[in-house]
Amino acid sequence: MSEQNPLYQDIILDYYEFPRNRGRVDGADATCRGHNPSCGDDLTVSVKVVDGTIGSVMWDGHACAISEASASMMTEAVLDTPTESARAWVRTVRAAITGRGESDPAIDLGDADALRVVNNRPARVKCALLAWETLDEALTLAAAIESRAHTADGDA
Amino acid sequence: MTTTAVRATHALDVPAIRRDFPILETIINGHRLVYLDNAATSQKPRQMIDALVAYYTSQNANIHRAAHTLAATATERYEATRQKLARFIGAPSPEEIIFTRNTTEAVNLVASSWGLANVHAGDAIVMTQAEHHSNLVPWQRVAEATGATLTYLPIDDGGMLDLNAAHALIGPRTRVVAITHMSNVLGTIAPIAEIVRITREKAPGAIVVVDGAQSAPHLPIDVAALGCDFFAISAHKMLGPTGVGALWGRRDLLEAMPPFLSGGSMVGHVTFESTTWAPIPQRFEAGTPNIADVIAFGASIDYLDALGMDAVRHHEREITAYALATLRARHPALTFYATDDTNVRGGVVAFNVRNVHPHDVSELLDGRGIAIRAGQHCAHPLHTVLGAVATCRASFYIYNLSEEVDALSEGLAEVEKVFARAIARPQA
């Protein structure tokens, strides 16, 4: 089977069949929904940041195998890392998948390296990236909320 | 309904038909193409391709203006397609056929021209839950601009329009009934003549607009018998080129409608102050039209005419029945979304494999050269009704063989093997 289509190699099917960190974070700082209207991939990423570090991150929704596997890989990769490292992960995965942009040489992609399989499949790049881009949005949102809270504190 | 007439009908000579479609020889990922995405667009016969090449090679000229021989010939051929199409769909006269880019533009023409002039605050626009975005979004915009309300007729568990609901929901405030003739997801056929009867009785001032994008390629069409007011089609789904669609409309309605696009070709007399409009159909064909593709579309209509639409329908009923029986028997993990009764459905088959996303099904089938569509098929609201994030869709046409259904089944067996553990889990 996997010899026929490398997209469905064992590591991706394993992540698809045994999802990691699926669900919603209680009391999340930010929750963002990523949607791929052409195929119906629909993922929600929720994240809680504690002292600049990702304390909890989960994904939920329905999407194709590569998209769901990628979401599980994302949560494993960035859990308990500083938000800046999580951003570097997003950039590095994006670079690995699209061949564009900067990657962080300090990051070892590990299981997520399997996502490179979509390199020459433009239709699936968006699937593989969806959870990572949605995490990126969620971190931006969490930072904006945090800075607004600080501003409000300052005013008080 | 025009679809179920029991007539002695000859069977299509599918192997001979296949020889007219050069693309069917194409090798995709090491396999001969199995093209089951006909609801998206049909493949093209040599006859149409030859007509297109011949036009650009030796007949190219602009129409409806110069007096030279080439221009006169081009005009004649362009108008010949209008006549062929009028006859093909049972339109009383070719002047009632307006060429557009596609079905979407045809519906936009009615929505913008008739809709904005005739729909008012408090009026109701009635559609169905099964509409393609092309016959839904333009009406949402009319409602937004005019203050009209939107009503959606529900479909039942078999994907059929609920006629009781039509009786209940079409009423004196109804100004537009916009309805798909054949669902591009479910393949189910709406009882248009019955809907027209209900509309005439309950809402005499309303128009009935039919999206015929999926029906005109596959069913014998007689707009006079259907009784509707407007009927929209796309050439590319019926063996024709992309970039051509058509709107049929009742003469009295078209003649009373303001222009849609304005500019060259659609005018009577122009002064610095004002302009008079050309008679129909020119009034609605501003600018140089898609001459080459309209002419080539004429060859597609000839091709379908020669086969006979009763024979086309007969073939599709047979292959659809074979597909549904085969897939249901061999693949218990499949869910289907519409009735199996080929009296009331065409060859569009939506399905899902338990716990496998349609994109993954399509990807694995593509590896075997099998082209199906995965996604929401420009029918997002319908998918919420079906309770499916997305669906797989196999759709058949005149050149499809039962062997290709078997190839689809073998491809699905591979999907079941790759995703065996996911499929074994309860439905997510």
Side-chain angles (χ1 to χ4, degrees):
Chain A
M1 45 186 185
S2 45
E3 71 275 9
Q4 285 228 342
N5 191 325
L7 205 58
Y8 302 102
Q9 53 192 279
D10 289 343
I11 190 163
I12 288 172
L13 286 176
D14 181 75
Y15 272 92
Y16 179 62
E17 287 158 6
F18 305 100
R20 280 70 147 174
N21 303 308
R22 187 172 198 167
R24 299 277 178 115
V25 172
D26 277 338
D29 294 315
T31 300
C32 283
R33 185 173 167 194
H35 188 219
N36 188 352
S38 68
C39 65
D41 284 350
D42 191 347
L43 297 180
T44 298
V45 172
S46 51
V47 62
K48 188 168 180 59
V49 179
V50 182
D51 298 330
T53 292
I54 296 182
S56 316
V57 55
M58 298 186 89
W59 69 275
D60 201 8
H62 287 285
C64 62
I66 190 82
S67 198
E68 289 197 6
S70 178
S72 279
M73 290 172 178
M74 179 276 288
T75 58
E76 285 195 332
V78 304
L79 184 64
D80 293 328
T81 66
T83 54
E84 275 322 298
S85 308
R87 299 276 200 180
W89 264 93
V90 172
R91 286 194 299 275
T92 304
V93 169
R94 197 186 284 135
I97 289 173
T98 65
R100 287 188 301 274
E102 275 175 44
S103 54
D104 182 337
I107 287 176
D108 171 10
L109 287 177
D111 286 352
D113 197 61
L115 298 174
R116 287 181 196 277
V117 71
V118 300
N119 261 334
N120 53 355
R121 288 177 155 78
R124 306 310 291 268
V125 164
K126 213 171 165 187
C127 307
L129 270 178
L130 186 62
W132 299 86
E133 300 289 5
T134 310
L135 170 73
D136 208 22
E137 265 178 64
L139 290 176
T140 303
L141 181 62
I145 292 168
E146 167 81 2
S147 96
R148 212 175 307 146
H150 275 299
T151 312
D153 288 347
D155 289 345
Chain B
M1 214 155 51
T2 59
T3 54
T4 55
V6 182
R7 266 176 247 175
T9 174
H10 63 281
L12 294 184
D13 183 352
V14 178
I17 289 171
R18 291 180 69 86
R19 287 193 288 277
D20 288 331
F21 289 78
I23 203 168
L24 298 178
E25 296 297 316
T26 308
I27 302 298
I28 304 281
N29 298 320
H31 299 265
R32 177 168 299 183
L33 170 65
V34 174
Y35 187 76
L36 303 179
D37 194 16
N38 293 288
T41 195
S42 76
Q43 294 303 345
K44 319 301 176 195
R46 259 187 310 105
Q47 289 82 341
M48 186 285 275
I49 300 167
D50 289 349
L52 189 59
V53 172
Y55 171 76
Y56 280 128
T57 307
S58 56
Q59 302 156 9
N60 178 54
N62 210 332
I63 57 168
H64 295 145
R65 12 198 119 178
H68 59 76
T69 305
L70 270 186
T73 310
T75 303
E76 208 172 281
R77 285 170 193 266
Y78 180 89
E79 291 303 324
T81 299
R82 201 189 303 276
Q83 287 161 15
K84 286 174 188 179
L85 182 59
R87 210 180 50 246
F88 188 78
I89 64 169
S93 108
E95 289 82 47
E96 296 176 344
I97 301 281
I98 316 288
F99 286 117
T100 62
R101 280 187 302 154
N102 44 39
T103 301
T104 297
E105 188 177 274
V107 174
N108 272 274
L109 194 165
V110 182
S112 291
S113 175
W114 194 93
L116 293 179
N118 293 284
V119 176
H120 304 289
D123 289 348
I125 298 171
V126 178
M127 291 168 278
T128 78
Q129 290 177 333
E131 294 315 306
H132 186 286
H133 297 164
S134 64
N135 199 31
L136 193 161
V137 180
W139 299 112
Q140 284 182 337
R141 296 192 69 203
V142 170
E144 208 179 324
T146 61
T149 60
L150 300 169
T151 304
Y152 295 95
L153 302 177
I155 52 165
D156 64 22
D157 289 344
M160 294 299 296
L161 189 60
D162 181 345
L163 274 177
N164 290 329
H167 274 285
L169 295 172
I170 295 173
R173 313 208 70 142
T174 303
R175 200 76 175 107
V176 175
V177 177
I179 187 165
T180 182
H181 195 181
M182 186 196 287
S183 162
N184 73 309
V185 177
L186 304 168
T188 45
I189 299 166
I192 300 295
E194 184 62 16
I195 293 289
V196 170
R197 205 188 56 69
I198 295 168
T199 305
R200 299 295 183 238
E201 184 193 316
K202 304 259 179 101
I207 55 165
V208 179
V209 183
V210 178
D211 170 357
Q214 296 294 340
S215 63
H218 304 283
L219 309 178
I221 299 293
D222 183 343
V223 292
L226 290 174
C228 56
D229 299 297
F230 294 95
F231 192 91
I233 63 144
S234 282
H236 73 93
K237 292 190 199 289
M238 46 196 296
L239 312 182
T242 53
V244 176
L247 174 72
W248 168 78
R250 282 184 191 284
R251 178 186 290 275
D252 56 328
L253 292 170
L254 289 174
E255 285 181 338
M257 279 159 56
F260 174 45
L261 302 174
S262 51
S265 301
M266 51 75 73
V267 296
H269 189 67
V270 183
T271 67
F272 284 114
E273 288 74 34
S274 65
T275 298
T276 60
W277 312 131
I280 62 165
Q282 273 70 37
R283 185 187 307 168
F284 295 104
E285 292 182 12
T288 295
N290 189 346
I291 304 165
D293 291 312
V294 167
I295 290 173
F297 180 37
S300 311
I301 297 169
D302 290 343
Y303 194 95
L304 288 171
D305 260 337
L307 297 179
M309 289 308 289
D310 285 325
V312 169
R313 172 71 175 137
H314 179 75
H315 169 73
E316 289 179 20
R317 285 183 63 166
E318 297 219 313
I319 195 159
T320 303
Y322 178 73
L324 290 168
T326 303
L327 297 179
R328 279 191 193 278
R330 295 191 203 158
H331 305 282
L334 262 56
T335 301
F336 296 91
Y337 296 92
T339 172
D340 283 5
D341 181 359
T342 62
N343 286 305
V344 291
R345 64 166 298 155
V348 182
V349 179
F351 63 92
N352 261 314
V353 184
R354 185 168 61 239
N355 297 334
V356 184
H357 193 278
H359 233 187
D360 295 317
V361 176
S362 161
E363 174 94 29
L364 284 164
L365 293 176
D366 183 57
R368 296 169 160 254
I370 302 168
I372 64 155
R373 173 95 184 261
Q376 300 185 323
H377 323 301
C378 299
H380 295 179
L382 174 60
H383 278 79
T384 63
V385 174
L386 299 178
V389 176
T391 50
C392 305
R393 181 185 71 183
S395 49
F396 305 106
Y397 209 11
I398 51 175
Y399 32 70
N400 288 125
L401 298 157
S402 57
E403 287 88 332
E404 294 180 302
V405 173
D406 296 337
L408 172 64
S409 171
E410 284 155 28
L412 290 170
E414 185 193 345
V415 172
E416 286 157 354
K417 200 170 144 205
V418 171
F419 285 96
R421 285 174 300 182
I423 290 170
R425 289 202 317 261
Q427 178 82 52

